[in-house]
Amino acid sequence: IFHLFLHTRKKMGLLLLLIICQCAINSIKTQSVSKPNIILLMADDLGIGDLGCYGNRTLRTPNIDKLAEEGVTLTQHIAASPLCTPSRAAFLTGRYPIRAGMAAFSRVGVFLFSASSGGLSSEEITFSKLLKQKGYATALIGKWHLGMNCESSNDFCHHPLSHGFDYFYGLPVTNFRDCKPGQGSVFLKGVQKGLVMPVQIAGIALVSLAVAQYIGLLKVPFQALGYFLLIITISLVVLIFFFYNFRHLNCFLMRDHQIIQQPLSYENLTQRLTKEAMQFIGRNTGTPFLLVISYLHVHTALYASENFKGKSRHGLYGDAVEEMDWSVGQILDVLAKHNLSDKTLVYFTSDQGAHVEEISSTGEVHGGYNGIYKGGKSTNWEGGIRVPGLLRWPGVVQAGAYIDEPTSNMDIFPTIVKLADAQLPSNRIIDGHDLLPLLQGKVTRSKHEFLFHYCNAYLNAVRWHPGNSESVWKVFFFTPNFSPEDSNGCYDSHVCFCHGGFITQHDPPLLFDLSRDPEEKVPLTPETESRFYEILRVVHEAVENHTRSLHAVPNQLSWDNLLWKPWLQLCCSSLFQSCYCDYESGGSPLQAHLG
C-alpha cells in the first residue's frame, strides 16, 4: 500500500507539473498572440498586377512575394476609396471616409498644399492612438497626406503626432510631379485652363469700363479702376509666386514637428526612409511596437536610386517598384536579426489601384498595372479599388493561403486593436471587421455582406456578397466618362471626376457578378439575370440603412479647407530665403542655403 501511495503521488506530481508547464506555454502563446509587434506597409498607387505574387512575371518583387509565401494573400482586398487622402483616413480609423468629413463634394478629393486647414479631425480615433494607450511604441515613416495645421503654422492639429504616433519622419503632403525638377506639373494645365476665363473676363471688364469712361457713357471713379487693377495684379502675383515656389512650400521632409529638408531631395530617399524604419525597430526590440511605413513609391514623381535606376524591364516605374521591394526585404531582415519575425504581424497593401493615366512628357508610362481589372485610381471600377493584401505572422496565420472573400483596408483597424488588447470605440460605427478568424482559417466567410464604394462624397457603387451564395454582386449608380471614350481611363483630365458632365448616371443601375465577370465587361440585364430586380431591391435597402447611419460632420475637404493659407505655411528659414534648409546634410539652414 505504501509503495502504491508513493507511485500514485509521483504520477500526480508529474501530472501537476505537466499541467503547470502547459499553462505556462499557453500563457506565453496567448501573450505573444495578443500583443504582437505590428508593421503596416503601404505603397502609393501600386497596381495589383505589379507584384509577382499577383501574377506579374516581369517585375522582380521577391521580398513582397515572400510575404505571400509565408502568409495569406487576399485576392479581393478593397480600398475604402480610390484616392489617397480618403483611403488613408479610412485605413487609420476603420471607418468610411465620409464619416470623418474626408470625402469631397468638389472635384478635388485630396489635400494639395501643406498650408491647407483641413485634415483628419482630432475627434477621430486612430488605431495608433489606441495602441499607444496600450503601451505600444508608435511611428509613421513616409507619406502622411492627412493635413497639418488648423489655425496657425505651429498648432499641428492634424499632424501624425496628434493622432497617436510617437515618432514621424516623412512628407506631410504627398509626392507630386512638381516636387521633382524636370518631371512636369500636375497643376500647370489646370491652372492655365482655370485662369483663361477669369483673366479674359477681368480684361474685358476693365477695357469696357475704361472705354465707357472715355466716351462719357459711364462715370467710374478713377480710384475704383485703380483698386480693381491692383486687386487683379496682386492676385496674379500671389498665384505666380505660389506655383513658382510650389516645390519649396509643399515638398519637404519632417522629423516630428521640425522640417529637416526643404525642399525634399530624392537622393537615396528610399534608403533614408528604410534606415529610419530599421532604427525604430532596433530601438524597440523589448517593447511592442506599431510601425507604419507609408512609401512614396510609386506615386509620381517617380524616382529610384543609382542601385536600381535602369535595372528593371519597365523603365523608371519598374525601377521604383523593385527598389520598394528591396526596402521591404530590409525590414524583414531586421526582424529576423532581432528574432522578432514570429512576434510580428506584417501587412502589405496599396492605398488604391494604379494611376493608369500617368504618362510622362516624353511618353513613358509612369502608371502601374491593374491586371485584368478595369479602370484605375480615382474610379470604383475594380482596377481603382482592388489592391494587394498580404499578411504574414509565422505560426499564427496560415502560410501560403489564398482568401477570395471581400475584405477592406478598414479591417486593419479592428484587427490590430483587438490584438493589442484594446477596446473598440463604442461611441461610433466601425465599418471594418476583425480579419484574424479568416486569416487563421477558423471561418471561411467574410463579415462584409455589403461594401459601399464612394467617389469622393458621392455613393458610386455597392458590393453585395450574400451569405448563401458564391456571387459577389456589384451595382453602379453612375460611372465615369472615359476620355478618349474607348480608353481605360480619363486621360484628358488626368483623373476621373465624380459628378456633372464627367459621369453617366444609370437607371436602372449597372449590375455585375464579379464571381463570373471580375473584369466588369458585360452588365447583367433582366433578360440575362432572373434575380435582377430582386438584387437591386436588396441593395437599395442596404443603401437606405447605410445612409441613415451617417451623421453630419465638418467637411475637411471643402474649398475653404483645401485652399492655401499663407499664415499656415511651414517654413524652416523664411519666405525671403525661399524656405530652404537641409538638416539632413548636418548643416544649418543658412549654411545649406549658402552652399
Side-chain angles (χ1 to χ4, degrees), residues 97-146:
I98 196 164
R99 297 194 193 279
M102 297 293 274
F105 288 92
S106 64
R107 283 194 205 179
V108 181
V110 300
F111 295 114
L112 301 174
F113 314 127
S114 66
S116 297
S117 57
L120 188 62
S121 168
S122 58
E123 298 296 313
E124 290 302 313
I125 298 174
T126 61
F127 54 62
S128 43
K129 278 184 183 177
L130 295 178
L131 267 64
K132 183 176 180 177
Q133 291 169 6
K134 283 293 181 178
Y136 273 70
T138 58
L140 173 68
I141 310 292
K143 167 178 166 174
W144 174 237
H145 211 184
L146 292 171

Side-chain angles (χ1 to χ4, degrees), residues 181-202:
Q183 291 294 306
S185 171
V186 297
F187 298 106
L188 197 56
K189 187 188 288 187
V191 169
Q192 287 172 340
K193 286 174 73 175
L195 279 180
V196 168
M197 187 65 73
V199 168
Q200 284 178 342
I201 291 171

Side-chain angles (χ1 to χ4, degrees), residues 532-546:
F532 184 87
Y533 290 109
E534 172 64 16
I535 293 163
L536 293 187
R537 185 192 65 76
V538 173
V539 167
H540 280 297
E541 191 176 297
V543 168
E544 288 175 5
N545 292 334
H546 168 69

